[in-house]
Amino acid sequence: MGRNNPKNIKAHNDKLHKEQAKEKAKKNTRAEKLKEITRKFNESKS
């Protein structure tokens, strides 16, 4: 049985894409939090 059969390739790609989606989601939430903090800081500053 070969390791590079379509089922294994699909499973690997699905796992990889899931991890990439998690990283992207973390990055987006971090950016949103930073925007919110910046917004609050600017409001309190003026």
Side-chain angles (χ1 to χ4, degrees):
M1 185 165 94
R3 294 194 316 173
N4 286 336
N5 62 15
K7 183 183 174 194
N8 289 343
I9 292 171
K10 182 181 179 341
H12 172 75
N13 286 341
D14 289 347
K15 189 174 180 182
L16 180 68
H17 294 150
K18 188 176 182 183
E19 288 299 315
Q20 289 173 343
K22 279 184 185 179
E23 294 286 327
K24 198 171 186 181
K26 281 183 190 176
K27 188 176 177 184
N28 286 343
T29 54
R30 225 176 276 129
E32 287 297 318
K33 285 181 183 178
L34 183 62
K35 282 182 188 175
E36 189 64 34
I37 290 169
T38 308
R39 197 176 299 128
K40 285 183 180 181
F41 176 76
N42 288 336
E43 284 177 4
S44 66
K45 191 176 180 183
S46 57

